[in-house]
Amino acid sequence: MYSTLRYKLESNGTTYENDNINASLLVDLITNLELQEYVVLVPSELVEGSMYLQAAALEEPGHMVAEIRLQEGEEDFRHYSYKSTDTTGIIQWFLDYWGKQQLPQLESWHDITHEFD
């Protein structure tokens, strides 16, 4: 299904190409996020309609936000956000997205598409 799929990982101005991405890098980057820092995992082709998965640290210590963008049609998208203190859960979402090409369950995520109008 995704035989040619490759990933790019961006974190605070550093870009990691597909061959340099591994589980320990994802865990390390997400675990050590500080305010104003981010991690964005971008597939070379849509994963279940998803353009990317990202995480960032929030102002409250221990709080993070994960966001995902899904393509809708040619030019539209839906953007979802999930705030959490569960770093392990966010790491698992990234590992599944990268390793299994599987999206998080988005039922409890908030649709924030209107923030991008």
Side-chain angles (χ1 to χ4, degrees):
M1 184 167 153
Y2 294 107
S3 60
T4 60
L5 184 66
R6 299 182 62 75
Y7 286 93
K8 218 184 258 191
L9 179 65
E10 297 176 26
S11 181
N12 310 311
T14 301
T15 300
Y16 302 87
E17 296 297 331
N18 193 72
D19 295 340
N20 296 318
I21 301 170
N22 57 49
S24 64
L25 176 64
L26 288 168
V27 169
D28 187 49
L29 290 174
I30 296 168
T31 300
N32 294 305
L33 282 176
E34 295 183 12
L35 190 59
Q36 303 298 319
E37 293 183 343
Y38 62 91
V39 173
V40 183
L41 188 56
V42 182
S44 60
E45 56 188 276
L46 298 178
V47 171
E48 294 185 36
S50 167
M51 301 160 77
Y52 60 82
L53 178 63
Q54 66 185 22
L58 297 174
E59 284 187 31
E60 284 185 68
H63 288 70
M64 298 178 69
V65 61
E67 294 184 359
I68 193 165
R69 182 169 287 188
L70 305 177
Q71 183 172 326
E72 275 195 347
E74 290 295 313
E75 297 182 25
D76 293 330
F77 63 85
R78 305 296 310 164
H79 197 96
Y80 296 90
S81 173
Y82 189 91
K83 294 179 182 171
S84 179
T85 57
D86 181 10
T87 304
T88 303
I90 291 175
I91 289 169
Q92 191 60 55
W93 291 335
F94 272 79
L95 292 174
D96 289 346
Y97 190 79
W98 168 72
K100 300 178 185 176
Q101 292 73 53
Q102 181 179 2
L103 303 187
Q105 296 297 317
L106 299 176
E107 293 83 24
S108 58
W109 290 51
H110 297 7
D111 184 342
I112 61 168
T113 305
H114 66 278
E115 294 181 12
F116 297 90
D117 290 341

